[in-house]
């Protein structure tokens, strides 16, 4: 079973992502609960609790989902041989070392914490670069650029913690989240209409299929991908806001062409559409907040929970089912999780926008996040641990 867990990247990294999502959010909920009860909460991390929470959701959970996705998808894109078990195990241990270093950072030298936390993305990027360069395509090589942005954003955080940069954490966290959002704009913009078109064609439908105009795709991807470096170099908020609004508006415009209504009875599809819609809405909210219209904290959580949380759950569940030979039909527990995630995003958005609701909305949103991942973990752990379902037979 252990060998099987490391036989394919999605198995260990999607399992690790779900477990970490539960553990990290559980710790954050416990801290907030103690604070709300009038106590004094503390974590063994070197950073303030809210900084640790934000960092680990982006560079811990986010990086794990990227590891599972890219180690599985890139060999399919290029025809290259998948990563060996030893590499997958090594990459996982490097990721885990970063999480442990961040958790116990108060007792460790900051340079050691930085080295451990910054090691995973270069390891992942080196492997997928070797696979992508076997059959280089510009639309795929762009992910190496995005991984570079994500690593640089994390570097900015550690440079401040090392005392080498005066204001790196705020920029690094924002740029890191926006890099994940840019990847969703790119990848979600491919798979959402593509999977929908395939399902419609399989049902016998030949007309009014999803459309994905190249010009509109570029109009959403270019500003979304420009946002992380623009934030890191500290360009004016007016530019940041304009880019985010353009990317969000273009993303929502694309969504209107993807026949979302047709997917209502197919949770494995509508969750992609809903998560992409929340990505566009979150970018609009972030852009407006950059122009002093609305709450930036609310907008960032709409992006973090609704876009990143929603889309990663959508993709990891579909990829797990597909790559283990199981039917592409979301189990009931996973469908419930698809519903809980946008509800958590909405509640946390209200908690950021309305100060009177901040504590209860934040706690309930965190509880919904935990419930969603617990359901997904319970439903999919057999797929990660057990052999592929026999061809032609329903999955157990």
């Amino acid at each position: 079973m252990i060998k099987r867990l490391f036989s394919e990247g999605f198995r260990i990294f999607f399992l690790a992502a779900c477990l970490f999502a539960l553990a990290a959010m559980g710790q954050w909920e416990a801290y907030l609960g103690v604070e709300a009860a009038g106590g004094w909460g503390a974590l063994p991390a070197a950073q303030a609790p809210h900084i640790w929470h934000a960092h680990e959701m982006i560079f811990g959970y986010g990086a794990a989902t990227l590891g599972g996705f890219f180690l599985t998808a890139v060999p399919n894109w290029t025809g290259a041989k998948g990563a060996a078990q030893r590499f997958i195990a090594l990459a996982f241990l490097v990721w885990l070392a970063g999480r442990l270093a961040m958790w116990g950072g108060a007792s460790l030298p900051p340079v050691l914490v930085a080295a451990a936390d910054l090691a995973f993305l270069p390891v992942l990027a080196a492997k997928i670069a070797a696979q992508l360069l076997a059959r280089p395509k510009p639309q795929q090589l762009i992910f190496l650029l995005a991984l570079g942005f994500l690593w640089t954003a994390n570097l900015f955080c550690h440079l401040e913690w090392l005392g080498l940069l005066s204001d790196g954490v705020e920029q690094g966290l924002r740029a890191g989240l926006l890099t994940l959002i840019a990847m969703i704009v790119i990848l979600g913009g491919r798979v959402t209409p593509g999977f929908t078109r395939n399902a419609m064609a399989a049902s016998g439908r030949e007309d009014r299929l999803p459309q994905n105009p190249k010009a509109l795709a570029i109009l959403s991807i270019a500003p979304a991908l420009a946002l992380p470096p623009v934030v890191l170099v500290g360009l004016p908020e007016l530019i940041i806001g304009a880019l985010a609004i353009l990317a969000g508006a273009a993303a929502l415009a694309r969504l209107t062409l993807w026949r979302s209504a047709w997917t209502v009875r197919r949770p494995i599809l509508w969750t992609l559409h809903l998560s992409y819609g929340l990505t566009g809405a979150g970018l609009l909210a972030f852009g407006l907040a950059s122009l002093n219209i609305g709450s930036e904290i609310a907008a960032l959580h709409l992006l973090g929970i609704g876009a990143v949380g929603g889309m990663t759950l959508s993709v990891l569940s579909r990829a797990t089912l597909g790559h283990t030979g199981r039917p592409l039909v979301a189990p009931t527990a996973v469908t419930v999780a698809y519903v809980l995630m946008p509800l958590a995003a909405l509640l946390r958005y209200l908690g950021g926008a309305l100060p009177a609701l901040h504590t209860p909305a934040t706690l309930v949103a965190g509880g919904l996040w935990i419930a969603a991942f617990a359901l997904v973990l319970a439903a999919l752990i057999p797929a990660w641990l057990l052999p592929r379902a026999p061809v032609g037979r329903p999955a157990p």
Side-chain angles (χ1 to χ4, degrees):
M1 184 178 295
I2 296 298
K3 287 186 177 180
R4 186 179 305 116
L5 189 57
F6 292 100
S7 64
E8 297 169 282
F10 73 89
R11 293 180 183 270
I12 183 60
F13 277 107
F14 287 166
L15 173 59
C18 288
L19 290 172
F20 187 72
L22 288 169
M25 187 61 74
Q27 181 59 60
W28 177 239
E29 286 278 281
Y31 168 80
L32 291 177
V34 169
E35 292 284 306
W40 181 76
L43 299 177
Q47 299 76 30
H50 71 285
I51 296 296
W52 174 84
H53 163 69
H55 181 276
E56 291 304 277
M57 288 296 99
I58 297 167
F59 301 108
Y61 170 77
T65 59
L66 290 178
F69 177 81
F70 283 124
L71 289 175
T72 305
V74 172
N76 289 338
W77 294 345
T78 64
K81 185 179 179 180
Q85 288 182 348
R86 285 180 294 181
F87 174 84
I88 294 173
L90 173 64
F92 168 72
L93 291 175
V94 171
W95 173 85
L96 181 61
R99 310 289 54 79
L100 294 175
M102 286 297 301
W103 174 246
S107 304
L108 297 171
V111 68
L112 178 60
V113 175
D117 186 41
L118 290 169
F120 173 67
L121 287 179
V123 170
L124 176 63
K127 171 57 70 174
I128 67 173
Q131 295 173 334
L132 287 174
L133 291 174
R135 294 183 182 176
K137 295 181 180 179
Q139 66 269 33
Q140 294 170 355
L141 293 176
I142 196 172
F143 295 117
L144 294 176
L145 177 65
L147 286 174
F149 288 162
L150 189 62
W151 185 85
T152 303
N154 197 11
L155 176 65
F156 266 57
C157 295
H158 285 284
L159 287 176
E160 179 174 335
W161 295 329
L162 289 167
L164 302 176
L165 197 63
S166 61
D167 187 24
V169 171
E170 181 179 352
Q171 291 169 277
L173 293 177
R174 290 170 82 204
L177 177 58
L178 290 170
T179 301
L180 296 179
I181 293 302
M183 292 195 194
I184 290 174
V185 172
I186 299 168
L187 285 168
R190 293 183 191 177
V191 303
T192 303
F195 290 156
T196 304
R197 185 183 300 108
N198 292 343
M200 295 175 80
S203 73
R205 182 162 173 171
E206 299 178 354
D207 62 338
R208 291 181 295 140
L209 299 176
Q211 303 298 312
N212 197 14
K214 185 176 181 180
L216 200 52
I218 293 173
L219 199 59
S220 64
I221 292 170
L225 199 57
L227 275 170
V230 164
V231 167
L232 287 175
V233 300
L235 292 188
E237 293 292 315
L238 178 63
I239 296 176
I240 294 172
L243 288 171
I245 290 171
L246 177 58
L252 292 176
R254 295 176 75 187
L255 185 62
T256 65
L257 303 175
W258 293 347
R259 309 301 179 191
S260 300
W262 186 86
T263 70
V264 168
R265 296 183 181 181
R266 297 167 176 81
I268 201 83
L269 289 175
W270 64 243
T271 182
L272 294 168
H273 289 252
L274 180 56
S275 299
Y276 200 85
L278 289 171
T279 302
L283 282 167
L284 285 178
F286 175 73
L288 291 172
S290 299
L291 305 178
N292 295 317
I293 303 172
S295 165
E296 182 182 75
I297 290 296
L300 290 173
H301 281 89
L302 186 59
L303 289 170
I305 302 172
V308 175
M311 188 60 81
T312 52
L313 269 190
S314 304
V315 171
L316 75 82
S317 57
R318 183 186 179 97
T320 295
L321 295 172
H323 285 279
T324 57
R326 288 157 171 81
L328 288 177
V329 178
T332 300
V334 175
T335 299
V336 174
Y338 292 161
V339 175
L340 294 180
M341 193 59 68
L343 289 178
L346 177 60
L347 271 175
R348 187 60 185 86
Y349 178 83
L350 292 175
L354 303 173
L357 296 178
H358 177 266
T359 298
T362 300
L363 287 171
V364 175
L368 293 177
W369 170 283
I370 290 171
F373 277 97
L375 288 168
V376 169
L377 182 66
L380 297 183
I381 196 168
W384 294 322
L385 298 179
L386 299 178
R388 288 177 56 88
V391 177
R393 295 185 184 179

